[in-house]
Amino acid sequence: MKLKTALTAAVLSLPLAAPAAPAPVAATSAPRKGAVKAPATTKRDQVDTYHGTQVKDPYQWLENSTDADVKQWNDAQNAYTRALLDKLPGREAIRQRVSEILGHKSPGYGALHEAGGTLFAMKSQPPKQQSFLVVLGSVNDPSKERVLLDPMVVDPSGHTTIDWYVPTLDGKKIAISLSKNGTESGDVTVYDVATGKPLPNEVVPRVNGGTAGGSLAWTADGKGFFYTRYPRGTERPEADRDFFQQVYFHQLGTPTEKDTYVLGKDFPRIAMSNLDTSHDGQHISALVANGDGGEFMLYLRDPAGKWTQVSKFEDKIIRARFGHDGAMYLLSRKDAPRGKVLRLPLATPTLDKATVLVPQGEASIQGVFPTKSRLYVSEQLGGPSQLRIVDLKGQALGLVPTLPVSSVGGLVSQGDDDVLFVNTSFTQPMAWYRYSAKDHAVEKTALARTSPLDLSDVEVVRQFATSKDGTKVPVSILKKKSTKLNGTNPALLTGYGGFNISISPNFNALAGFWLEQGGVFAVANLRGGSEYGEQWHAQGSLTQKQNVFDDFHAAAKLLVDQKYTQPKKLAIQGGSNGGLLMGAAVTQHPEMYGAVVARVGIYDMLRVELTPNGQFNITEYGTVKDPAQFKALHAYSPLHNVKDGTKYPSVLFTSGANDPRVDPFHSRKMVARMQEATKSPNPILLRANAETGHGAGTPLNARIEEEVDVYSFVFNALGMKYMPPAKKVAAPKPQ
């Protein structure tokens, strides 16, 4: 199933026929004296009517990415951006420091998976442009690892990435999805684990996509797999090829054209399926999402090959994991907005046979991980997370010891009840730990990143901002212990607030870079996520989306009121749904910020659903076809709330031409409109990358270049001067 991240690709734009253009109208920001002037943007008469409301859309012509005029405009905007960014003071020093930090050679390990006694992992290690797949000999001795597949060997240009991988139950074969240029359009190739070589003629096209994601589950014998299949060839019109994902079966040794249909003909157009195999290989599950709004239905295949629908959308089963005891463990939000855990015997897979194992508590349950005789329950506490343990009767066995104010997850079985898990905090890099069930002890493994900078003098302050309706919103604030709260510090605030995604503490080396420069870094846990369960999510979605923007404004106001900073020293940044947040923040409270970085965001809420992935977003954002939802969308849509004559702060918009999740036209239209409207000398810039997507698969060098642009831009906008970090002086040797 697709991941929305955080941070962290493109919807194909529908071809739009533009009307004949009247005389061009210049849309330019007020330039500083002697500064380069923003390119003029033509306005073309276009009015759309929604439920009797007429909406002018003079920049609708910018939606067509293939149009020659759009390409010319895009190139002119990029040239304007480069003319400003490339000459900023301190840029080369910032480049050197950002390169040092992001190029830090301490390896990172993620996506660990054990199969047949073999442990697999994705490894990232600069200067490698992409993460690569390794077989680990031991979590305590990485020197014994073996590279199984390096995308840089497949594609030396650095533009091919591994989307995900699934090994057979015995660990002897592995299916790997590979995509290019940030498209997330991944073909699956089967590799022999012992040799690292691909099996001949075992490529299944486009199992993964940027709209409905992709998934795969092997049979017990490893001779075939179930997989997510998008329409091929002429099966459906071109406009439908990012939709109608179904489940098919592929038998190794046979052409993919002979793969057989399994499930999905009656699924919603925007269905997304996540497949899994039971530990003994006798059962297969399919958890099917209704777009991005958080509704799921569950299907189960028994040993005889019969598929049964276990739950419907209204049953509110949102997660499912196979146990080792002939049962499935289900996370349900039916009459339990913070979640409860059900045990369902596989022999009687109907919900009326399910029993409550873990009732709803104060924390928001995010997931479950069964081992031989216990269950590890992942819980959210307003941002930070924890691992609770219960036995298979639901009796409490305590908490797994973890770092304070941290994130925990990624569990992997190690024997009967021992597990590996990843733990990280705002000040501690990601590391894998082994938890011993017998000793109730945690041991750090050798799979641990080191920090490229010293954060020993950084403290994390947890505060609560009061939103417009009185809701208390958690805000994590990072600062040096010596930082004075005098209102003069540069501050950087970020948030997300959507899609039921909880923003947990995470080690961000560039946040360390910001703190190194005397800044304050803050993360707001906004409604729309699941930090406090489904109610918290619901209060920030559909017609209640404005709550997210009110929460963010409250967090910004807290930073100012508590004298961490002041508006002209406050920068904000966010990506994807967080890019939408940036657009709403700058249009609703332009006086509150000194700089805005909006990455791959959505800004035209009235036309986003015309894009493929935008249709998956309808269950989260709503649709203009519904009068009440249209009213809400129009009320906050950033593009439609830009006001002429407003003194906007400096804003940098980024986009990727291959983005399958957010069409780059959003950034183009928003830049054109803001350049037209602003009456301040602050630049409104577009950084459009022709070789990347939504963020997934971006090569290391491209990431570095973007961050150099971002921080050079923010430093300049806030009046900051880059200061090289103080070098540590070695203590004198004893005499």
Side-chain angles (χ1 to χ4, degrees), residues 137-257:
S138 165
V139 294
N140 293 316
D141 186 4
S143 66
K144 296 180 180 179
E145 72 185 31
R146 170 172 62 90
V147 177
L148 182 57
L149 180 65
D150 184 350
M152 292 295 292
V153 174
V154 176
D155 175 13
S157 74
H159 290 283
T160 294
T161 190
I162 295 175
D163 305 307
W164 42 261
Y165 69 91
V166 183
T168 53
L169 295 184
D170 61 9
K172 294 182 178 180
K173 293 187 286 291
I174 192 164
I176 304 174
S177 174
L178 291 161
S179 63
K180 295 183 177 181
N181 298 317
T183 62
E184 301 181 50
S185 182
D187 300 340
V188 161
T189 302
V190 179
Y191 287 80
D192 179 84
V193 171
T195 65
K197 296 184 180 299
L199 272 60
N201 304 314
E202 289 297 348
V203 178
V204 180
R206 200 159 174 252
V207 175
N208 194 68
T211 51
S215 186
L216 182 151
W218 287 94
T219 55
D221 58 10
K223 294 182 179 180
F225 53 77
F226 299 89
Y227 69 94
T228 49
R229 182 183 185 275
Y230 289 83
R232 298 181 187 173
T234 59
E235 292 174 352
R236 288 191 180 273
E238 185 175 354
D240 286 338
R241 291 178 190 168
D242 291 305
F243 304 91
F244 297 106
Q245 186 193 74
Q246 298 178 0
V247 178
Y248 270 64
F249 178 73
H250 175 71
Q251 185 76 30
L252 296 186
T254 63
T256 184
E257 292 79 14

Side-chain angles (χ1 to χ4, degrees), residues 569-621:
K569 290 283 189 178
L570 176 57
I572 57 175
Q573 74 163 332
S576 192
N577 176 72
L580 162 62
L581 173 65
M582 297 300 102
V586 74
T587 52
Q588 294 182 15
H589 298 283
E591 77 291 344
M592 198 70 198
Y593 313 109
V596 180
V597 179
R599 307 189 197 220
V600 293
I602 304 168
Y603 311 111
D604 185 345
M605 297 308 296
L606 303 187
R607 292 180 64 80
V608 60
E609 64 190 83
L610 298 180
T611 66
N613 199 53
Q615 294 184 41
F616 286 80
N617 298 160
I618 286 174
T619 46
E620 174 76 10
Y621 293 139

Side-chain angles (χ1 to χ4, degrees), residues 63 307 310 586 643 707 729:
E63 293 180 5
W307 286 87
V310 177
V586 74
K643 295 179 175 61
E707 299 303 342
V729 179

Side-chain angles (χ1 to χ4, degrees), residues 57 63 169 188 207 217 247 351 420 455 457 498 504 548 578 653:
D57 195 358
E63 293 180 5
L169 295 184
V188 161
V207 175
V247 178
L351 281 184
L420 295 173
L455 297 183
D457 62 343
S504 294
V548 180
F653 292 90

Side-chain angles (χ1 to χ4, degrees), residues 332-339 360 364-365 532-536:
S332 169
R333 287 196 169 138
K334 184 80 167 180
D335 303 318
R338 292 186 298 279
Q360 175 175 255
S364 171
I365 300 177
Y532 293 111
E534 177 53 30
Q535 186 177 2
W536 189 256

Side-chain angles (χ1 to χ4, degrees), residues 43 59 641-648 672-679:
K43 296 175 73 174
Y59 298 119
N641 284 277
V642 177
K643 295 179 175 61
D644 292 329
T646 302
K647 292 184 177 180
Y648 287 107
R673 179 69 184 104
M674 289 194 73
Q675 287 179 346
E676 173 196 12
T678 189
K679 292 304 177 186

Side-chain angles (χ1 to χ4, degrees), residues 415-546:
D416 290 344
D417 287 319
D418 294 356
V419 292
L420 295 173
F421 66 92
V422 66
N423 196 197
T424 184
S425 74
F426 286 117
T427 57
Q428 294 290 322
M430 183 181 78
W432 286 88
Y433 297 79
R434 183 197 298 273
Y435 172 71
S436 168
K438 178 181 178 181
D439 303 325
H440 188 59
V442 167
E443 177 187 14
K444 192 175 185 179
T445 74
L447 308 182
R449 295 207 75 175
T450 60
S451 174
L453 29 70
D454 182 10
L455 297 183
S456 60
D457 62 343
V458 172
E459 62 179 346
V460 180
V461 180
R462 287 277 288 176
Q463 294 201 17
F464 290 84
T466 303
S467 195
K468 186 176 182 179
D469 64 358
T471 299
K472 299 298 183 181
V473 180
V475 184
S476 297
I477 304 169
L478 282 67
K479 67 180 186 67
K480 287 189 175 182
K481 296 173 183 176
S482 59
T483 299
K484 295 179 180 179
L485 304 188
N486 54 16
T488 64
N489 306 299
L492 183 56
L493 171 66
T494 187
Y496 188 77
F499 296 96
N500 230 329
I501 294 173
S502 300
I503 306 303
S504 294
N506 181 50
F507 183 81
N508 181 342
L510 290 178
F513 165 67
W514 181 259
L515 295 167
E516 190 177 70
Q517 294 298 308
V520 172
F521 184 83
V523 179
N525 289 104
L526 313 170
R527 279 177 284 184
S530 64
E531 284 85 348
Y532 293 111
E534 177 53 30
Q535 186 177 2
W536 189 256
H537 166 238
Q539 289 178 355
S541 63
L542 298 174
T543 58
Q544 299 192 75
K545 186 69 176 178
Q546 180 59 41

